[in-house]
């Protein structure tokens, strides 16, 4: 067969595995829905400048990974590589920040990054995210982290760690930045990394290469440079997490790949995913609104990767929900039975019983095969003779037991036995 394939770095979600994906997406969002977060949905593409300004000109996401396009009307757009900038843009545009604060929002959708595909890293992937806009309160940072941990725990995930850091604010970060630059300039680094020292030295700490990491052992630490306000803020976040029974590891090298973070940053890493181990992450971005031309709006948020959470569950051997099966499968034999049973199926569905039908005019053998494969608990079978007697056959597909039931009452009987 010579037909099309999914583009490189993407994959299709198909039954039965797609059911697990949906269940994970719902589980990641459930704690947010219980905590005052409202649903937000923004377009899949935005003005390219929203991301270059918001995420950062010098980040990999903007320089290497964005899918950009020019429309026929001449607009420069980009497929969204992440959610925060879009959600903040939408909130500012709708003036939500002039109402009660914080504005708490959650979202779920597809994101696009032109990365080198590998296990757990795709060019089209899915995130559930949350943003709390307009409040500087360590309890808000703690709330979001707790909700993420609770979401993972609700799925049964165990083998994950929470890495925590503070990146300081506009007072202490510049001082630290200068100290770090001074140190980095003295190291033996390649051209590209040397350029990065001048643009965004904190990102050098994130370099995964062994020869770079080795030289970073003596680098100045942000934790030694935090101003009193940042230190106090960070201590409060840590205390609130500890009180909520959340364990975390301090990671002074955790800077994450986006430029907008200030103060609290965190990442969830899973122990069995190989090199693409981050299942989620986030942090505070007090300056982003102003970077986008908006008012001062201190905010915090996270995004959890749905694809990688599914992989993490598999890696831990946790049973994933399988495809939703119907409880009843109708097998008609002949035209008259087809009409009668199609009516029964419709009635069952309207009464809240899940039911399916042998479409396509199959013979008894094939139709029964479909019924068995469907995983349904009961088959309703009827031929011309049954209908002449006003009856249908009700077969329990687990026990094999078969009984005659009046056509009139079959829906009520099934409902009683199933609900
Ligand atoms: P980030 O915005 O990079 O912090 O991403 C948040 C989460 O989204 C990560 O922790 C991953 O779980 C997930 N993620 C990011 N990029 C990809 C990708 N290319 N493929 C699959 N999942 C991703």
């Amino acid at each position: 067969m010579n037909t099309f394939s999914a583009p490189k770095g993407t994959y299709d979600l198909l039954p039965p595995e797609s059911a697990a994906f949906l269940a994970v997406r719902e589980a990641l969002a459930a704690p947010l829905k219980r905590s005052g977060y409202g649903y937000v949905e923004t377009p899949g593409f935005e003005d390219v400048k929203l991301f270059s300004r918001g995420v950062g000109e010098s980040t990999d996401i903007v320089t290497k990974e964005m899918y950009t396009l020019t429309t026929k009307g001449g607009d420069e757009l980009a497929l969204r590589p992440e959610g925060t900038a879009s959600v903040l843009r939408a909130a500012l545009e709708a003036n939500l920040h002039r109402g009660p604060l914080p504005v708490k929002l959650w979202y779920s959708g597809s994101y696009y990054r032109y990365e080198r595909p590998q296990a757990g890293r795709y060019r089209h992937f899915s995130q559930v995210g949350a943003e709390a806009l307009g409040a500087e309160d360590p309890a808000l940072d703690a709330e979001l982290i707790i909700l993420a941990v609770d979401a993972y725990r609700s799925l049964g995930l165990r083998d994950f760690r929470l890495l925590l850091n503070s990146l300081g604010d506009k007072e202490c970060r510049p001082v630290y930045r200068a100290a770090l630059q001074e140190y980095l300039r003295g190291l033996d680094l390649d051209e590209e990394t040397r350029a990065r020292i001048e643009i965004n030295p904190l990102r050098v700490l994130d370099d995964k290469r062994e020869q770079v990491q080795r030289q970073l052992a003596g680098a100045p630490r942000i934790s030694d440079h935090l101003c009193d306000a940042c230190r106090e803020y960070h201590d409060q976040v840590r205390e609130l997490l500890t009180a909520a029974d959340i364990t975390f590891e301090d990671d002074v090298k955790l800077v994450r790949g986006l430029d907008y973070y200030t103060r609290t940053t965190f990442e969830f890493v899973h122990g069995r995913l190989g090199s693409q181990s981050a299942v989620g992450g986030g942090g505070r971005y007090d300056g982003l609104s102003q970077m986008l031309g908006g008012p001062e709006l201190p905010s915090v948020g996270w995004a959890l990767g749905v694809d990688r959470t599914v992989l993490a569950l598999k890696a831990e051997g946790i049973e994933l929900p399988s495809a939703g099966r119907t409880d009843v499968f109708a097998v008609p034999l002949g035209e008259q039975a087809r009409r009668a049973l199609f009516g029964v199926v419709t009635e069952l569905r309207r009464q809240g019983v899940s039911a399916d039908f042998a479409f396509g005019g199959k013979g008894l053998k094939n139709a029964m095969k479909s019924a068995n494969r469907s995983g349904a608990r009961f088959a309703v079978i009827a031929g011309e003779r049954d209908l002449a007697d006003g009856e249908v056959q009700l077969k329990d597909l687990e026990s094999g037991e078969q009984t005659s039931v009046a056509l009139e009452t079959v829906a009520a009987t099934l409902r009683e036995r199933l609900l």
Side-chain angles (χ1 to χ4, degrees), residues 9 11 61 65 81-84 111-116 118 120-128 152 256-258 260-261 266-268 273 276-282 302-309 311:
Y11 64 99
I61 291 181
E65 298 169 5
E82 60 102 49
T84 304
Y111 296 85
Y112 307 87
R113 294 183 194 170
Y114 189 74
E115 298 193 81
R116 196 169 48 77
Q118 63 180 93
R121 188 161 75 187
Y122 311 106
R123 291 180 170 176
H124 166 259
F125 59 97
S126 190
Q127 291 182 337
V128 168
Y152 291 139
R256 303 192 24 82
L258 302 86
Y260 51 59
Y261 288 113
F266 51 90
E267 197 152 88
F268 297 97
L273 289 186
Q276 300 306 310
S277 61
V279 287
W302 54 235
L304 312 183
V306 180
D307 314 74
R308 284 192 203 161
T309 304
L311 292 175

Side-chain angles (χ1 to χ4, degrees), residues 10 65 69 87 122 129 159 205 210 227 276 290 329 332 364 411:
T10 72
E65 298 169 5
L69 60 123
V87 169
Y122 311 106
D159 189 4
L205 296 177
E210 162 67 16
C227 60
Q276 300 306 310
Q290 286 151 306
F329 200 96
L364 178 64

Side-chain angles (χ1 to χ4, degrees), residues 130-183:
E131 314 291 344
L133 314 174
E136 196 182 76
D137 183 343
L140 200 52
D141 306 41
E143 166 175 290
L144 276 166
I145 293 173
I146 292 166
L147 294 176
V149 171
D150 287 353
Y152 291 139
R153 284 184 186 166
S154 77
L155 286 163
L157 218 55
R158 287 173 183 282
D159 189 4
F160 66 92
R161 299 180 299 142
L162 164 60
L163 309 179
L164 187 67
N165 194 18
S166 171
L167 292 179
D169 64 5
K170 57 182 184 301
E171 301 302 320
C172 53
R173 176 120 117 226
V175 183
Y176 172 66
R177 189 176 186 275
L180 182 64
Q181 273 177 326
E182 176 98 10
Y183 175 86

Side-chain angles (χ1 to χ4, degrees), residues 354-365:
S354 62
D356 205 353
F357 187 79
F359 290 102
K362 292 180 182 132
L364 178 64
K365 205 167 144 214

Side-chain angles (χ1 to χ4, degrees), residues 71-267:
T71 66
K72 291 190 174 67
D75 295 333
E76 306 269 347
L77 301 176
L79 298 188
R80 57 183 182 189
E82 60 102 49
T84 304
S86 309
V87 169
L88 183 55
R89 193 267 309 138
L92 293 174
E93 189 174 336
N95 280 318
L96 297 188
H97 59 291
R98 294 194 208 277
L101 297 176
V103 177
K104 302 207 292 185
L105 300 168
W106 76 274
Y107 54 90
S108 166
S110 297
Y111 296 85
Y112 307 87
R113 294 183 194 170
Y114 189 74
E115 298 193 81
R116 196 169 48 77
Q118 63 180 93
R121 188 161 75 187
Y122 311 106
R123 291 180 170 176
H124 166 259
F125 59 97
S126 190
Q127 291 182 337
V128 168
E131 314 291 344
L133 314 174
E136 196 182 76
D137 183 343
L140 200 52
D141 306 41
E143 166 175 290
L144 276 166
I145 293 173
I146 292 166
L147 294 176
V149 171
D150 287 353
Y152 291 139
R153 284 184 186 166
S154 77
L155 286 163
L157 218 55
R158 287 173 183 282
D159 189 4
F160 66 92
R161 299 180 299 142
L162 164 60
L163 309 179
L164 187 67
N165 194 18
S166 171
L167 292 179
D169 64 5
K170 57 182 184 301
E171 301 302 320
C172 53
R173 176 120 117 226
V175 183
Y176 172 66
R177 189 176 186 275
L180 182 64
Q181 273 177 326
E182 176 98 10
Y183 175 86
L184 295 174
R185 286 185 193 123
L187 303 183
D188 176 21
L189 299 166
D190 59 274
E191 192 85 8
E192 195 183 338
T193 313
R194 298 198 77 80
R196 187 170 285 162
I197 297 173
E198 306 311 319
I199 307 162
N200 193 343
L202 271 73
R203 291 289 319 286
V204 180
L205 296 177
D206 210 19
D207 201 310
K208 301 280 182 288
R209 289 171 299 177
E210 162 67 16
Q211 75 272 25
V212 178
Q213 278 302 322
R214 213 179 325 114
Q215 299 185 70
L216 292 174
R221 295 159 158 251
I222 180 73
S223 50
D224 297 328
H225 286 76
L226 292 180
C227 60
D228 289 346
C230 283
R231 184 178 312 285
E232 163 69 8
Y233 193 96
H234 198 53
D235 285 346
Q236 282 198 44
V237 174
R238 294 160 47 103
E239 278 165 30
L240 289 163
L241 291 178
T242 304
D245 192 25
I246 307 270
T247 31
F248 53 85
E249 295 164 34
D250 294 305
D251 182 351
V252 291
K253 290 206 185 118
L254 181 73
V255 298
R256 303 192 24 82
L258 302 86
D259 275 359
Y260 51 59
Y261 288 113
T262 51
R263 290 196 167 168
T264 316
T265 48
F266 51 90
E267 197 152 88

Side-chain angles (χ1 to χ4, degrees), residues 288-305:
L288 180 59
S289 172
Q290 286 151 306
M291 282 157 73
L292 300 180
E296 189 176 345
L297 200 68
S299 305
V300 56
W302 54 235
L304 312 183

Side-chain angles (χ1 to χ4, degrees), residues 355-374:
D356 205 353
F357 187 79
F359 290 102
K362 292 180 182 132
L364 178 64
K365 205 167 144 214
N366 275 334
M368 282 313 292
K369 227 189 243 171
S370 302
N372 283 313
R373 263 202 222 122
S374 76

